[in-house]
Amino acid sequence: MSRLIVNRRRFLLGSAAAGSGLVLSGCNQFDFLAQRGNPVREVIEQANVLTYSAQRALIGDQVLAREYAESEIRQGMKPNGSTEPSTPEYMFLRQANFEPYRLTIKGMVEREVSFSLAELRNMPSRTQITRHDCVEGWSCIAKWTGTPLGPVLDQAGVKPGARFAVYHCFDNIQRTVSGDILYYTSSDLVDAYHPQSILAYGLNDEVLPVSNGAPLRLRIERALGYKQPKYLHTIEIVDDLSPFGRGKGGYWEDNGYDWYGGI
Ligand SMILES: Nc1nc2c(c(=O)[nH]1)N[C@H]1C(S)=C(S)[C@@H](COP(=O)(O)O)O[C@H]1N2
Ligand SMILES: [Mo]
């Protein structure tokens, strides 16, 4: 089984790299791939659906990601992607030491709820030492402390028919002529309710630093780095990902990365 997963990971890394090259190069020869209804694109999309269901069938729903010993933490957590968000909303919260921060849960829920950091820290916590794998080809073992997401979602009451959680972040990952693009990603509810899915406010026994996503970032331990949203402010429960961004369920997903991003 591990061989299968390794092979799948290689495949993923390959397809992610090809996907981003495709978007960034803007090469005419390949542009047609990005058009909806294109048969090649549909084949690629089907492949993603297949790997998703194949992986769910292979490893089951609630299998834990490997956890490591303290002695295996070799270096600090390498900051990547956005490391210092510059949106006014974030800069305001940062200078106020994140006192006014609230995490909001909305969408297909019985009641919209929001929590301050103090409230989240007072809920049961979980600490885990796990390995973060970025598609750029590096990994880091780090110790994360936070509140399990499942019980937080239960306080909002997820409605029947809901399928995904969309994670909205403060940072402007990309600036364009038509405005800032804010980072977002998403998961299914199986990953949202996974026992290692935590709203992390602590990293390696310290308060989570700004460069790694302060005040709150989600860990989804069986997924690649781009599925670990930093600077999280809202979780939206939905049954359809198409209304967000370019409809692929995340910033990097919109740029060609696999939606599931499992490892
Ligand atoms: N909001 C936000 N979340 C993000 C990113 C980002 O740029 N913005 N980058 C992603 C990527 S590609 C990686 S590898 C990890 C990096 O997390 P770190 O800075 O704690 O290493 O965060 C992920 N989550
Ligand atoms: Mo990454």
Side-chain angles (χ1 to χ4, degrees):
M1 186 191 282
S2 67
R3 219 188 110 125
L4 250 175
I5 290 170
V6 166
N7 286 340
R8 181 178 177 278
R9 178 190 283 190
R10 279 217 196 96
F11 163 75
L12 257 183
L13 293 183
S15 61
S20 60
L22 192 114
V23 170
L24 297 178
S25 70
C27 170
N28 285 338
Q29 253 178 302
F30 292 109
D31 273 345
F32 70 93
L33 280 177
Q35 281 158 22
R36 247 172 227 275
N38 176 281
V40 178
R41 175 178 153 146
E42 268 157 25
V43 168
I44 293 170
E45 283 174 352
Q46 276 313 111
N48 282 348
V49 170
L50 236 172
T51 54
Y52 169 61
S53 40
Q55 184 145 345
R56 277 273 177 267
L58 269 174
I59 67 169
D61 281 352
Q62 300 287 306
V63 174
L64 297 185
R66 177 171 169 197
E67 294 194 16
Y68 295 78
E70 297 267 350
S71 59
E72 291 173 284
I73 302 174
R74 286 180 210 94
Q75 72 281 298
M77 181 72 192
K78 171 188 154 76
N80 198 45
S82 301
T83 52
E84 224 183 311
S86 60
T87 51
E89 207 180 0
Y90 186 81
M91 294 209 293
F92 162 76
L93 288 173
R94 185 182 176 178
Q95 60 78 31
N97 221 4
F98 301 113
E99 283 295 328
Y101 170 86
R102 295 189 80 83
L103 172 74
T104 301
I105 320 282
K106 67 178 194 183
M108 293 177 70
V109 290
E110 302 297 340
R111 62 207 87 80
E112 184 171 319
V113 289
S114 75
F115 303 102
S116 68
L117 286 172
E119 286 169 327
L120 290 166
R121 285 198 196 96
N122 279 330
M123 293 177 195
S125 78
R126 181 183 160 92
T127 294
Q128 60 205 27
I129 302 174
T130 52
R131 199 183 74 189
H132 174 109
D133 295 313
C134 173
V135 289
E136 289 168 5
W138 55 270
S139 43
C140 271
I141 293 173
K143 182 179 186 177
W144 301 97
T145 300
T147 310
L149 175 56
V152 173
L153 294 180
D154 283 342
Q155 293 182 56
V158 171
K159 283 189 175 163
R163 295 179 62 202
F164 309 106
V166 180
Y167 308 108
H168 297 286
C169 306
F170 282 116
D171 57 310
N172 40 355
I173 179 80
Q174 198 185 324
R175 296 172 153 196
T176 72
V177 277
S178 41
D180 287 354
I181 298 180
L182 302 176
Y183 198 93
Y184 80 105
T185 187
S186 58
S187 75
D188 62 14
L189 293 177
V190 174
D191 270 342
Y193 275 92
H194 186 273
Q196 288 169 318
S197 292
I198 60 173
L199 296 161
Y201 45 72
L203 169 60
N204 293 335
D205 295 316
E206 309 278 347
V207 173
L208 182 68
V210 164
S211 59
N212 299 107
L216 201 69
R217 76 97 55 86
L218 180 63
R219 298 293 310 165
I220 299 183
E221 298 292 358
R222 295 175 310 169
L224 287 163
Y226 61 90
K227 305 295 289 185
Q228 320 291 327
K230 310 198 280 187
Y231 318 112
L232 181 63
H233 64 79
T234 300
I235 301 178
E236 192 169 348
I237 305 298
V238 300
D239 60 1
D240 177 15
L241 297 173
S242 66
F244 306 97
R246 286 194 235 146
K248 295 294 166 196
Y251 171 74
W252 283 115
E253 294 86 335
D254 284 338
N255 286 283
Y257 284 23
D258 177 60
W259 171 74
Y260 183 52
I263 45 178

